[in-house]
Amino acid sequence: MEDRVRVVIAEDSVLLREGLTRLLTDRGHEVVAGVGDGDALIKTITELDGENLLPDVVVADVRMPPTHTDEGVRAAVQLRKSHPGVGVLVLSQYVEERYATELLAGSSRGVGYLLKDRVAEVREFVDAVVRVARGGTALDPEVVAQLLGRSRKQDVLAGLTPREREVLGLMAEGRTNSAIARQLVVSDGAVEKHVSNIFLKLGLSPSDGDHRRVLAVLTYLKS
């Protein structure tokens, strides 16, 4: 069982909200609140903060009432600024590049963007929630593909080989070197070499620590 985490869920669909709650509680996690719109999410987090009961992570839909456009992601971006210690994992029906870029443009700690279809892959979804709660990153493969596709028009990744781009995409999904090696059917040593080359070509020094893995895929956002 994964390490237990405390979760707040922001989703206007009662059925989906209850389903997410069941998925997480069945695996030993604690859902401390469920809300249906962005304003309620901000209010709930503020109240929990006042009681020193902040959750480890918020799971929020990108689109929520009243307009069902960007209320959820705007609330998520606000929370990342006001409560940087709380992880934020947003769910979206489709890849919405503008929202993904806005969410990922700040700190790379404790952030995730997944398509709702990914919830059906229960283990991967729960792993993503825990990873974000612990300060890691979880990006949907489709999100990574679109972001990297746009970045090909920029010079920042021009020096990477096709294989290095492939490794970079898997890194952005939050996969470890061993998991990447299994996916690409290569040795761990080969992956480590590719990762080192990526860091070198993107100018990410060892002082950036473990977050170099995330900074590598986010570098172009700041170019």
Side-chain angles (χ1 to χ4, degrees), residues 119-148:
V119 176
E121 300 171 17
V122 176
R123 183 177 180 82
E124 288 190 18
F125 170 70
V126 176
D127 285 348
V129 172
V130 174
R131 189 159 66 247
V132 171
R134 298 305 182 212
T137 304
L139 300 182
D140 195 283
E142 290 299 320
V143 174
V144 173
Q146 286 204 23
L147 294 180
L148 289 180

Side-chain angles (χ1 to χ4, degrees), residues 4-159:
R4 184 180 183 182
V5 298
R6 289 165 46 80
V7 187
V8 168
I9 298 175
E11 166 59 60
D12 62 295
S13 167
V14 176
L15 288 177
L16 181 53
R17 188 165 71 236
E18 291 301 318
L20 294 174
T21 299
R22 181 67 180 272
L23 284 180
L24 293 166
T25 55
D26 281 354
R27 283 154 184 80
H29 303 297
E30 181 184 2
V31 177
V32 297
V35 299
D37 62 73
D39 289 341
L41 172 59
I42 297 298
K43 180 180 178 182
T44 297
I45 295 299
T46 300
E47 291 174 349
L48 290 172
D49 190 12
E51 300 171 5
N52 292 318
L53 294 174
L54 278 175
D56 300 301
V57 61
V58 168
V59 177
D61 190 359
V62 165
R63 298 173 181 266
M64 287 194 290
T67 68
H68 293 280
T69 53
D70 62 353
E71 284 85 355
V73 75
R74 283 195 288 108
V77 170
Q78 182 177 334
L79 285 178
R80 279 177 57 73
K81 294 177 180 177
S82 62
H83 296 83
V86 177
V88 174
L89 174 62
V90 300
L91 303 177
S92 179
Q93 192 68 42
Y94 310 101
V95 178
E96 301 183 77
E97 187 177 313
R98 177 170 64 88
Y99 297 153
T101 300
E102 185 176 5
L103 184 70
L104 298 170
S107 169
S108 59
R109 286 186 58 84
V111 62
Y113 189 112
L114 296 180
L115 296 184
K116 286 187 174 181
D117 288 347
R118 203 66 57 189
V119 176
E121 300 171 17
V122 176
R123 183 177 180 82
E124 288 190 18
F125 170 70
V126 176
D127 285 348
V129 172
V130 174
R131 189 159 66 247
V132 171
R134 298 305 182 212
T137 304
L139 300 182
D140 195 283
E142 290 299 320
V143 174
V144 173
Q146 286 204 23
L147 294 180
L148 289 180
R150 182 168 69 87
S151 71
R152 290 192 183 99
K153 301 175 183 178
Q154 305 178 33
D155 293 335
V156 67
L157 299 182

